[in-house]
Amino acid sequence: MLRGARDNGRLRRYLSSCTASPLLRSPTRRHLATASPASDRTLAVGQQLHGFTLQRQKHVPELQLTAYDLRHDRTGAEYLHIDRDDKNNVFSISFKTNPPDDTGVPHILEHTTLCGNHTSYPFATTNRKDFNNLLSVYLDATLNPLLKENDFAQEGWRIGPANPGQQHEATSAEDPLVFKGVVYNEMKGQMSDASYLYYIKFQDHIFPAINNSGGDPRKMTDLTYAGLKDFHAKNYHPSNAKLFTYGDMPLADHITEISQRLERFSRSRADKEIKIPVDLSAGPLEYTVKGPIDPLVDKDMQYKTSTSWLMGDTSDTAENFALRIMSSLLLDGYGSPLYRDLIESGLGPDWSPNTGYDAGGRVGIFSVGLIGVKGQDVQRVKEVIMTSLQKVHLEGFDQGKVDGLLHQAELGLKHNTANFGMGIMQRLQPGWFNGVDPLDMLAWNDTVSTFKANYARQGYLEGLLEKYLLNDKCLIFTMEPDTDYGAKLVEEENARLSSIFRSMGGESEARAPLIRKESELLEAQSRASTEDLSCLPSVHVSDIPRQMQRKTVRDSQVEDVSVQWREASTNGLTYFRAINVLQGLPGELRMLMPLFTDSLMRLGTKNRTMEQLEDLIKLKTGGIAISYHSTTSPHDIQKSTEGLSLSGYALDGNISAMYELLSTIIQETDFDGPEAESRVRELLQSAANGALDAIAGAGHSYARRYTEAALTSQGLLNEQIGGLTQVQQTGLLASRPSSEGLGDVLSKLKTIQRFALSNSTGFRTAITCGPEAVSHNASALRNFLSNLDRSSTIPSSGESEVSATIYNAKTFFPLPYQVYYSALSVPTVPYTHPDSAALQVLSQLLTHKHLHHEIREKGGAYGGGAYSRGLSGLFGFYSYRDPNPLNTLKIVQDAGRWARDKQWTKQDLEEAKLSVFQGVDAPESISEEGMTRFVSGVDEDMEQRKREQLLDIKAQDVADVAQTYLVAEMAKARVAVLGAEKGLFPSADGWSSRGLHLAQDVASEPVD
């Protein structure tokens, strides 16, 4: 994908200046070596290449790659290059950054230069020139950052007036002084996520040697600017670095540039200590900490608890693989023993955040736990875990389930994704930094062969279970609810602020110098927003091909059903997708579609349990999915279609089995079985327990969906299916008393089942396979379609449909978060309208040239910007983990006038177009080729016209759409804010307050 210099949003803060850096200044510097010392495939171990020595090389045929392990002679920097025929090339430079405390210094440094116990700076691109530019930028940014004190104040923490950019008198106390900073507010928001809080507190106890890399806001204000610079000097050094490149660009293309950047450094010593977990040999160790209340969950189900064991050395790749298999057998799927005994039994609705096998450190950790536990059941959870493990050890693991997992692994190798290289890097890095050999981790066939040989010995996995888990050498970690948890955080922050004021002679004495520093920062931020970045290496719009790369598809009919074919090299796999359009779907049934699709993968049929069906899915397919589908017409933003989407992939020879599984699951799921109601309730409680944390992680998306519900039909569908309206209904149903039952819900689910595959005129499919598999696929598809019952019709509803007019223009949702999430949306034009392209460019200009500076850098929000949803015909603004939403709303409401009056330069437009094309030309996996046409009706001719329109946008086009849609039409805007109730959004100002709670309400209406 294309990435221009402007897309690296923090470059201006951390690059060595153009005049100070000869590497950036020199117009004669070349990115590519003029001659290759040798092709990658002819390198010899011991060979020296531009200051590096090749230590080892390994060909991995199953992954179609060759890996080269090099060391930099002067500094000792480690360099892993992976040669593979993949145009999406990857680079990363990473440093081991053991956090010395909980101030978040590695996290803040990451922000000020471009967390775990290492920090990584990766990128991926298909463009050779772009790769070389970014390689230069990333090396300079990490090894030679400016690290200005203003950057530390902006990104880390500072004290300043709550409302930035206003005139402040030194003696005025009307505007309170508060803690500010991008990372500070990010972590305040993160600490509002109870799942994250549980996990990080668990890590504090299982890994006391590793501090919180992200940072605890209570400790973050102990960090000084000098401490930040010192941490960089000690850790961001080649001797502490691991470099990684991947793709089809030769090693010689990279190594010259990398060597030039490293040659000025000498070898140094850094903190490379590999931290290990707490000693549990004298266990069990038990800890209980306090945590927040979840208002969307039953007040009696507020505990989280888990039990953890230390496993083996993860550098033993064969045993590590076996332990992963064992973990999957114990935990994955509704038929797994621990799921049956813990969740299905009703002890808790879902796993705790740390559940699973964590092999990211030198010592593996296996954890099992639950959320939503009653206080009286906490001790019982540990007892049931032990009983379940003992039973598995006695009865042994099922051979068929092991075969299913190995089959999944085999298909994973065949399934080529567009981001394969980035995935390899992310999989290797944790172990690499903890002493695990990356070449061993790549040797997939060797690892699987060793596992199969060991597994052939009777009782191999059972022996591992006994060795590591059937003992009391464990850590039991529990979080109990504290109704005053949020208030105590506020109290602590106020006390910390007061303490700093006292050290400065009191708040009145502190106000003048703090406001002066804030003013100086604002001035520096304003200068930076207009800084000339032309000295940075970049690609240009002229480098973007005017003609898109087309992918050939063809259409046919099978059993009167439209079929789209994409024939390509798929490694013997067939990818299937189908959409059944459901016209006239009643709102009361639409609201239950997420529960319906979840139930299909939970209840089982009259003849097969869900466990048996899961085993077949793993043995015969790479996975199947059934979900709700909706899309907007590319010609009219008020026209949308909805329905059911089916997808899956399998080996060509197993495609008939996959079709049979899809048909069985959709048409035969038993909603009348004796356990149907309890399992549906289980699904509801699981969803309700995760809802508040899901909102905390993506609150701006929930706010955006709510605003869009009032603007287009598609927006309304999205809100009902995946927005706050759906969250409210799920909570209401989950809290329904057992005595009341869910009979009415089950009846509606059965109704949906009857017509799920019924509409022959609205049913269409898409198949991607190799040319040699087309005939077999057509025959298998014909058999699948002929066995479907498509005679049922969608019943009409006696209830009136929900109207978008009930969504207020300005809505506030009080939620127990320390920061806010906001969104503002306006309707625009359909995909095919000429203005759609200009709106896309405008969204990038506003984000990078205005909103990033105002909302993030000055306002302190973790994120903020504009978006243009071309297919949906919506334009909007958002802020994420925002301490000052009212200031943000003022900025975005005036953004149209700012954009209209701005004198856009050629360079501005160049950067915005490059940013747009980063997404337009992003690499596609084979399975996704042709899917835009199939899913949304946007064909390649439409895409080509849009491409040309984007390339041809002029400054006047941007000004015109800003005036038309963001100034003249701003009265149509809808606004939503989520966050703490502090009296900021009174009804007198037009705000409607809607709470998310468990009070009874009409499920198909918006939250109230």
Side-chain angles (χ1 to χ4, degrees):
M1 62 186 147
L2 291 171
R3 295 186 54 174
R6 185 58 192 87
D7 296 317
N8 301 282
R10 294 187 288 272
L11 287 180
R12 65 171 56 83
R13 293 195 303 277
Y14 57 69
L15 282 174
S16 301
S17 69
C18 300
T19 56
S21 172
L23 285 174
L24 286 178
R25 186 177 66 221
S26 172
T28 60
R29 181 172 61 88
R30 296 180 61 85
H31 289 296
L32 304 181
T34 56
S36 296
S39 68
D40 292 0
R41 301 186 188 280
T42 60
L43 297 177
V45 172
Q47 184 174 346
Q48 292 188 324
L49 304 165
H50 298 282
F52 284 86
T53 299
L54 180 63
Q55 305 287 318
R56 299 175 298 159
Q57 58 182 318
K58 187 179 185 66
H59 181 56
V60 187
E62 62 270 28
L63 297 179
Q64 300 171 315
L65 60 82
T66 301
Y68 300 88
D69 178 20
L70 303 103
R71 294 292 183 281
H72 190 242
D73 300 331
R74 182 174 175 84
T75 65
E78 299 179 42
Y79 179 15
L80 181 65
H81 173 69
I82 293 180
D83 175 35
R84 191 169 188 263
D85 186 15
D86 186 343
K87 65 180 181 179
N88 197 21
N89 287 261
V90 177
F91 167 82
S92 80
I93 181 169
S94 308
F95 306 91
K96 189 167 184 63
T97 50
N98 287 325
D101 47 42
D102 286 341
T103 61
V105 58
H107 188 183
I108 294 172
L109 186 56
E110 175 222 335
H111 276 246
T112 55
T113 59
L114 235 92
C115 323
N117 61 0
H118 73 273
T119 307
S120 181
Y121 300 86
F123 68 79
T125 178
T126 60
N127 183 287
R128 181 181 293 264
K129 181 179 179 182
D130 197 29
F131 186 98
N132 293 323
N133 290 340
L134 288 170
L135 175 67
S136 170
V137 166
Y138 274 56
L139 288 170
D140 195 51
T142 53
L143 298 174
N144 307 297
L146 288 175
L147 290 183
K148 296 179 181 178
E149 188 167 6
N150 278 338
D151 297 334
F152 170 71
Q154 173 183 290
E155 298 297 320
W157 75 275
R158 67 188 187 277
I159 299 174
N163 297 304
Q166 297 184 10
Q167 296 296 320
H168 294 279
E169 296 295 333
T171 57
S172 172
E174 294 179 358
D175 192 9
L177 296 172
V178 297
F179 286 118
K180 308 175 75 172
V182 171
V183 176
Y184 186 83
N185 285 313
E186 176 192 356
M187 297 314 297
K188 282 181 69 175
Q190 196 72 63
M191 291 297 184
S192 296
D193 182 336
S195 292
Y196 171 84
L197 185 64
Y198 179 88
Y199 183 80
I200 208 68
K201 295 295 184 184
F202 162 75
Q203 286 287 318
D204 287 344
H205 289 80
I206 196 79
F207 253 121
I210 297 181
N211 294 296
N212 184 349
S213 170
D216 184 335
R218 295 172 299 179
K219 302 293 184 181
M220 201 173 288
T221 50
D222 294 337
L223 180 64
T224 64
Y225 172 53
L228 180 78
K229 292 196 297 181
D230 181 64
F231 187 82
H232 178 272
K234 290 179 178 178
N235 293 280
Y236 277 49
H237 189 281
S239 298
N240 191 38
K242 296 187 189 299
L243 298 117
F244 175 91
T245 51
Y246 162 94
D248 63 0
M249 296 182 192
L251 172 63
D253 284 10
H254 316 314
I255 202 165
T256 306
E257 172 76 17
I258 293 172
S259 180
Q260 288 176 357
R261 295 309 181 103
L262 303 189
E263 63 185 9
R264 75 175 184 85
F265 292 91
S266 300
R267 194 179 293 260
S268 74
R269 298 184 62 182
D271 179 10
K272 293 187 177 183
E273 181 185 356
I274 297 173
K275 308 292 186 179
I276 60 174
V278 66
D279 183 5
L280 296 180
S281 60
L285 302 182
E286 297 194 37
Y287 299 97
T288 299
V289 300
K290 302 286 187 181
I293 292 285
D294 188 335
L296 303 184
V297 175
D298 190 307
K299 61 182 177 62
D300 296 326
M301 299 172 63
Q302 296 281 343
Y303 285 78
K304 301 176 178 67
T305 187
S306 65
T307 303
S308 303
W309 292 265
L310 303 185
M311 311 295 274
D313 189 326
T314 54
S315 64
D316 184 342
T317 54
E319 184 181 83
N320 192 45
F321 178 80
L323 291 173
R324 290 180 186 274
I325 292 286
M326 185 180 76
S327 174
S328 294
L329 293 168
L330 291 171
L331 292 165
D332 292 353
Y334 295 117
S336 63
L338 288 171
Y339 185 93
R340 284 198 309 262
D341 294 340
L342 292 169
I343 295 178
E344 198 170 281
S345 68
L347 280 175
D350 209 346
W351 300 118
S352 60
N354 59 334
T355 292
Y357 178 52
D358 181 358
R362 185 58 181 263
V363 178
I365 300 172
F366 180 78
S367 302
V368 187
L370 297 173
I371 62 173
V373 178
K374 295 178 180 178
Q376 65 266 30
D377 287 338
V378 169
Q379 182 59 37
R380 187 168 165 235
V381 170
K382 167 62 174 13
E383 296 169 356
V384 172
I385 291 171
M386 289 306 300
T387 300
S388 184
L389 293 176
Q390 289 165 353
K391 182 180 178 183
V392 172
H393 180 257
L394 180 64
E395 297 179 354
F397 290 101
D398 186 291
Q399 172 76 52
K401 295 183 185 297
V402 175
D403 291 342
L405 290 173
L406 293 176
H407 180 254
Q408 292 292 298
E410 176 192 356
L411 292 192
L413 292 180
K414 290 179 173 289
H415 177 52
N416 282 327
T417 66
N419 297 309
F420 184 88
M422 192 68 77
I424 284 282
M425 181 209 72
Q426 292 167 347
R427 186 166 68 87
L428 294 179
Q429 275 190 346
W432 193 10
F433 272 99
N434 285 289
V436 183
D437 189 334
L439 299 193
D440 286 348
M441 288 188 279
L442 287 171
W444 179 259
N445 279 353
D446 293 346
T447 301
V448 174
S449 296
T450 301
F451 171 78
K452 289 180 177 179
N454 289 333
Y455 184 68
R457 304 198 309 264
Q458 191 69 24
Y460 173 61
L461 288 177
E462 292 79 5
L464 291 176
L465 190 153
E466 180 178 12
K467 176 182 177 181
Y468 290 115
L469 302 181
L470 294 186
N471 58 68
D472 269 340
K473 298 174 183 178
C474 59
L475 184 145
I476 302 168
F477 185 73
T478 301
M479 181 175 281
E480 63 181 14
D482 181 354
T483 55
D484 297 324
Y485 186 84
K488 290 176 182 176
L489 288 180
V490 173
E491 183 180 339
E492 184 280 331
E493 185 178 62
N494 289 336
R496 185 162 26 97
L497 188 62
S498 297
S499 176
I500 295 176
F501 287 152
R502 286 195 297 273
S503 71
M504 299 177 69
E507 182 175 357
S508 59
E509 293 295 321
R511 175 170 287 275
L514 289 174
I515 288 180
R516 184 169 59 252
K517 283 189 174 182
E518 185 78 7
S519 297
E520 292 170 356
L521 177 60
L522 288 172
E523 290 175 7
Q525 290 167 333
S526 296
R527 289 193 300 271
S529 67
T530 57
E531 189 173 2
D532 181 13
L533 300 180
S534 60
C535 62
L536 296 178
S538 68
V539 294
H540 302 282
V541 171
S542 59
D543 297 319
I544 300 174
R546 191 166 182 84
Q547 296 298 315
M548 67 180 290
Q549 186 176 4
R550 294 179 180 253
K551 305 292 171 58
T552 302
V553 298
R554 63 180 178 85
D555 298 312
S556 73
Q557 294 285 121
V558 176
E559 291 287 315
D560 296 325
V561 169
S562 297
V563 183
Q564 174 183 291
W565 295 90
R566 168 65 180 149
E567 297 174 31
S569 176
T570 61
N571 287 334
L573 297 176
T574 289
Y575 298 92
F576 167 80
R577 188 157 186 175
I579 292 173
N580 190 29
V581 174
L582 302 174
Q583 284 191 326
L585 183 64
E588 61 175 342
L589 298 184
R590 177 184 306 117
M591 291 285 291
L592 289 173
M593 287 295 286
L595 181 60
F596 172 72
T597 55
D598 287 345
S599 298
L600 293 179
M601 305 303 292
R602 177 65 189 99
L603 301 188
T605 69
K606 291 180 179 179
N607 300 319
R608 287 192 177 117
T609 65
M610 196 63 231
E611 179 181 0
Q612 292 171 325
L613 290 169
E614 284 181 330
D615 290 346
L616 286 170
I617 290 170
K618 290 176 182 176
L619 279 168
K620 298 296 184 181
T621 80
I624 61 175
I626 305 166
S627 60
Y628 174 82
H629 158 81
S630 67
T631 188
T632 303
S633 164
H635 308 288
D636 186 343
I637 65 172
Q638 293 304 337
K639 290 184 178 179
S640 59
T641 57
E642 62 181 328
L644 195 68
S645 173
L646 323 178
S647 62
Y649 75 97
L651 292 169
D652 292 339
N654 286 337
I655 196 67
S656 294
M658 186 185 75
Y659 287 149
E660 182 180 352
L661 282 165
L662 282 167
S663 176
T664 298
I665 288 172
I666 296 174
Q667 298 188 131
E668 298 180 25
T669 290
D670 186 8
F671 289 99
D672 293 317
E675 297 179 329
E677 181 168 327
S678 65
R679 289 178 178 174
V680 168
R681 187 180 296 276
E682 174 191 307
L683 291 171
L684 289 166
Q685 290 178 341
S686 176
N689 266 275
L692 194 67
D693 293 342
I695 297 171
H700 61 306
S701 296
Y702 282 90
R704 187 197 70 217
R705 275 192 289 267
Y706 195 84
T707 62
E708 292 175 355
L711 301 177
T712 67
S713 61
Q714 175 70 18
L716 182 59
L717 299 182
N718 288 339
E719 169 61 21
Q720 290 179 320
I721 291 295
L724 296 170
T725 304
Q726 178 67 214
V727 169
Q728 177 74 25
Q729 167 167 282
T730 300
L732 292 172
L733 293 178
S735 65
R736 184 184 286 187
S738 299
S739 58
E740 187 175 337
L742 295 170
D744 59 325
V745 174
L746 289 170
S747 177
K748 292 175 182 177
L749 295 177
K750 286 194 294 182
T751 298
I752 297 173
Q753 182 184 34
R754 283 193 291 270
F755 62 73
L757 297 177
S758 64
N759 183 11
S760 60
T761 60
F763 196 94
R764 64 183 189 273
T765 67
I767 293 177
T768 300
C769 64
E772 72 283 354
V774 170
S775 178
H776 172 67
N777 269 291
S779 177
L781 179 61
R782 184 173 292 105
N783 291 335
F784 168 64
L785 296 173
S786 65
N787 291 323
L788 298 182
D789 178 10
R790 292 184 279 161
S791 59
S792 300
T793 57
I794 300 175
S796 60
S797 172
E799 298 184 14
S800 59
E801 287 294 311
V802 175
S803 170
T805 59
I806 64 176
Y807 291 84
N808 199 57
K810 297 164 66 177
T811 308
F812 172 66
F813 292 88
L815 289 169
Y817 302 144
Q818 298 182 62
V819 287
Y820 293 86
Y821 307 85
S822 69
L824 180 151
S825 301
V826 295
T828 57
V829 293
Y831 180 90
T832 54
H833 194 286
D835 285 352
S836 177
L839 287 163
Q840 280 186 267
V841 173
L842 173 61
S843 70
Q844 296 300 318
L845 288 166
L846 280 171
T847 296
H848 298 299
K849 293 296 185 181
H850 183 50
L851 301 176
H852 179 83
H853 309 296
E854 297 297 326
I855 298 174
R856 190 180 191 277
E857 295 179 349
K858 294 182 181 179
Y862 180 50
Y867 66 90
S868 177
R869 296 161 64 85
L871 184 60
S872 298
L874 292 159
F875 193 101
F877 305 88
Y878 66 92
S879 69
Y880 179 73
R881 293 179 179 166
D882 186 351
N884 199 334
L886 289 178
N887 181 68
T888 294
L889 292 177
K890 291 178 183 177
I891 292 167
V892 301
Q893 286 167 340
D894 192 55
R897 280 184 287 272
W898 184 91
R900 178 197 61 192
D901 299 338
K902 172 76 172 176
Q903 297 300 307
W904 298 110
T905 67
K906 181 180 179 181
Q907 182 65 25
D908 293 335
L909 292 174
E910 183 98 351
E911 293 167 2
K913 291 177 184 180
L914 289 171
S915 187
V916 170
F917 275 92
Q918 177 183 342
V920 172
D921 284 345
E924 280 187 318
S925 301
I926 290 175
S927 59
E928 292 301 313
E929 292 176 355
M931 285 302 105
T932 299
R933 174 183 187 261
F934 176 75
V935 172
S936 66
V938 175
D939 61 30
E940 290 187 330
D941 289 339
M942 295 181 194
E943 290 186 274
Q944 178 60 37
R945 283 195 295 273
K946 175 63 72 66
R947 184 183 193 88
E948 294 169 5
Q949 291 166 351
L950 287 167
L951 291 170
D952 295 339
I953 293 298
K954 303 294 190 297
Q956 189 59 49
D957 301 325
V958 172
D960 289 345
V961 294
Q963 169 62 31
T964 301
Y965 303 104
L966 303 187
V967 178
E969 299 293 313
M970 184 54 74
K972 295 180 180 179
R974 294 293 185 271
V975 182
V977 179
L978 286 60
E981 176 59 86
K982 295 182 179 179
L984 299 177
F985 306 97
S987 57
D989 291 342
W991 288 92
S992 172
S993 181
R994 296 180 179 272
L996 290 178
H997 48 72
L998 299 182
Q1000 292 298 313
D1001 199 354
V1002 179
S1004 61
E1005 293 183 356
V1007 292
D1008 202 348

